[in-house]
Amino acid sequence: MKILLVLLLTLSTFFPYYQATGNYQIEITSTASASHSEFKIHLLKNGNKTKVIYLKRKQEDLKPTKQDSLEIQELVKTFENDLEARKRLTQIFDKYKSYEKDSLIISSNHPLLRISDSLSKERTLKVVESDRRIVLDGTRATIKVRHENGPAYELYASSPRNDTHPLFHQFITSSLELYRSNAEKPILNKSDTQGY
């Protein structure tokens, strides 16, 4: 009896770590190289509440601080051959991007959640290393997925279409259709989202 009690107590302490809550975040960033346009879609699922945030990059970025400007000058000298310098430059530039923002709250039985639930479990795009390349004439999309009880990971897609990345394409188009049909003055029109 004591052994059974100890076993149950031990398992009950580990159970919360293995129990999936279903809470997650999906962040999609889509950048068009030719037009220098960028938009983001964040879906935050937390219990029965799901918020979808839409962001459109403004043309004017914020001005870097003097310290960051000096660091940029130093990093530019070595970034071609230094992966860490490139990552740091990207972090600094991202810090000064500015966005227009809008959001929607959707119900726990909304059809978009079936798509996002599937996308939150998707890992096959991750293995396509060629999608990490710089795209000169199309769109580059990054999908960041973070589960409440697990590590975050990223997926990549170049010019995602229904025939190349069906689940990803369905998520983008469905979330944008939802937004455009519910927003009084949408900040993301088709011309802002590379035709999506």
Side-chain angles (χ1 to χ4, degrees):
M1 182 70 171
K2 283 185 181 181
I3 294 173
L4 182 60
L5 184 59
V6 170
L7 182 60
L8 285 173
L9 286 173
T10 305
L11 288 174
S12 67
T13 59
F14 289 114
F15 187 71
Y17 296 107
Y18 293 102
Q19 189 178 24
T21 62
N23 296 340
Y24 59 82
Q25 297 177 26
I26 296 175
E27 176 185 324
I28 292 179
T29 303
S30 182
T31 308
S33 303
S35 64
H36 302 289
S37 65
E38 178 180 293
F39 72 94
K40 295 183 179 216
I41 302 170
H42 294 188
L43 185 136
L44 306 138
K45 183 180 178 186
N46 189 3
N48 290 332
K49 182 179 176 186
T50 301
K51 185 174 189 177
V52 187
I53 304 166
Y54 301 88
L55 298 106
K56 174 184 168 183
R57 185 171 176 193
K58 294 180 180 178
Q59 293 297 322
E60 296 282 325
D61 288 335
L62 303 172
K63 190 175 177 184
T65 63
K66 187 173 183 176
Q67 181 181 350
D68 281 345
S69 294
L70 292 172
E71 187 177 358
I72 289 168
Q73 289 174 7
E74 288 301 311
L75 290 167
V76 166
K77 294 175 186 175
T78 62
F79 85 100
E80 265 188 51
N81 300 318
D82 185 352
L83 182 60
E84 289 304 314
R86 277 186 265 176
K87 285 181 183 177
R88 180 64 187 138
L89 268 174
T90 301
Q91 287 174 340
I92 295 172
F93 290 139
D94 285 348
K95 186 163 77 170
Y96 294 101
K97 290 178 181 178
S98 60
Y99 296 88
E100 289 180 63
K101 184 176 172 182
D102 204 353
S103 64
L104 294 172
I105 303 290
I106 60 174
S107 65
S108 59
N109 62 351
H110 195 281
L112 180 61
L113 282 177
R114 284 195 300 275
I115 302 167
S116 69
D117 286 348
S118 296
L119 187 60
S120 76
K121 296 171 188 150
E122 184 67 50
R123 289 181 179 259
T124 56
L125 295 177
K126 191 175 183 183
V127 299
V128 184
E129 291 296 319
S130 62
D131 279 342
R132 292 179 186 239
R133 69 188 182 278
I134 295 171
V135 180
L136 298 177
D137 59 351
T139 60
R140 181 177 192 275
T142 305
I143 308 138
K144 294 180 184 175
V145 180
R146 179 177 315 234
H147 289 271
E148 185 177 54
N149 296 323
Y153 59 93
E154 292 186 5
L155 309 170
Y156 304 91
S158 296
S159 300
R161 300 183 314 271
N162 198 43
D163 60 333
T164 60
H165 304 91
L167 185 60
F168 180 40
H169 185 266
Q170 188 179 11
F171 177 80
I172 291 176
T173 55
S174 296
S175 58
L176 288 171
E177 285 171 13
L178 169 71
Y179 172 62
R180 290 176 185 138
S181 65
N182 284 285
E184 196 172 307
K185 292 185 179 179
I187 59 169
L188 289 173
N189 297 302
K190 285 202 173 206
S191 59
D192 303 311
T193 59
Q194 298 103 38
Y196 293 111

